[in-house]
Amino acid sequence: MKALLVVDVQNDFLPGGSLAVPHGDEVIPVINALQSRFDLVVATQDWHPGGHLSFASAHPGKNPFEITDLYGLEQVLWPDHCVQGSEGAEFAAALEKNRIAAIFRKGMHPEVDSYSGFFDNGRRYATGLTSYLREMNVTEVYVGGLAADYCVYYTAKDAAIEGFETHYITNATRHIASDSYEKAISDLREIGVHLITAEEV
Ligand code: VGL
Ligand code: ZN
């Protein structure tokens, strides 16, 4: 059984959003067209409480995109984004949602960020996504969404670590920065994640 994981296709990551990914909106038609090829479509949703410690605004004197230490973990400080209940946290209006069977929210613990749809960055809390996919007899996972170098990367990495045959769909994602994107791609290649295009699904 193959599952499509649609990562964080939310307004704040689209052009005009508070943490806009360049050309982020271009993933939507690609993901919409892909959905009918899968028996199971699952989405993740970045869902932070106000004042989340990944927000630069929670650290007086610090600016967005600075790096800090957060309880022993390296943390990029982000603009406020995907605050629970806000318009920016909603899925993109143009995203086809009818076939999404389950939504896994992440980033709710105020003290730790959560890029992967499976675990927080400190690997202290699981979202339940591994158990869900196993219960649904999923063996192969295909990942797309936003952003390529953060949440899509870490979700694909954890999917592989959790034992799923994992495919990262390069044209169903867009990145925030090219240096972190290059690193993500080489790491995924090294751990055996398949890098494919939507046309190859
Ligand atoms: C993301 C940074 C902060 C993402 C989420 O979805 O890639 N990036 N929160
Ligand atoms: Zn976030």
Side-chain angles (χ1 to χ4, degrees), residues 13 46 48 54 78 81 113:
F13 298 123
D46 209 35
H48 299 303
S54 72
W78 303 109
H81 65 279
D113 211 352

Side-chain angles (χ1 to χ4, degrees), residues 41-137:
V41 180
V42 177
T44 66
Q45 192 171 25
D46 209 35
W47 196 249
H48 299 303
H52 193 268
L53 288 177
S54 72
F55 297 170
S57 62
H59 302 264
K62 298 224 186 271
N63 295 309
F65 305 102
E66 270 182 44
I67 292 168
T68 194
D69 177 280
L70 193 57
Y71 302 113
L73 295 178
E74 188 178 289
Q75 176 67 50
V76 180
L77 293 174
W78 303 109
D80 288 26
H81 65 279
C82 298
V83 172
Q84 296 170 2
S86 67
E87 185 60 31
E90 291 304 312
F91 289 122
L95 178 70
E96 174 57 50
K97 299 162 193 81
N98 292 348
R99 297 195 69 250
I100 297 174
I103 297 164
F104 285 79
R105 287 176 166 169
K106 62 189 181 61
M108 286 94 84
H109 296 282
E111 81 290 358
V112 64
D113 211 352
S114 194
Y115 295 147
S116 157
F118 292 87
F119 301 99
D120 69 275
N121 294 2
R123 302 187 88 76
R124 280 172 59 202
Y125 311 104
T127 60
L129 180 53
T130 301
S131 308
Y132 174 79
L133 294 174
R134 289 204 185 122
E135 180 75 13
M136 301 302 273
N137 294 317

Side-chain angles (χ1 to χ4, degrees), residues 147-159:
D149 41 346
Y150 287 93
C151 293
V152 180
Y153 162 46
Y154 285 100
T155 298
K157 182 170 180 156
D158 279 344

Side-chain angles (χ1 to χ4, degrees), residues 7-27:
V7 175
D8 299 3
V9 182
Q10 293 168 260
N11 292 328
D12 273 340
F13 298 123
L14 302 181
S18 65
L19 179 39
V21 179
H23 305 282
D25 53 326
E26 294 170 7
V27 307

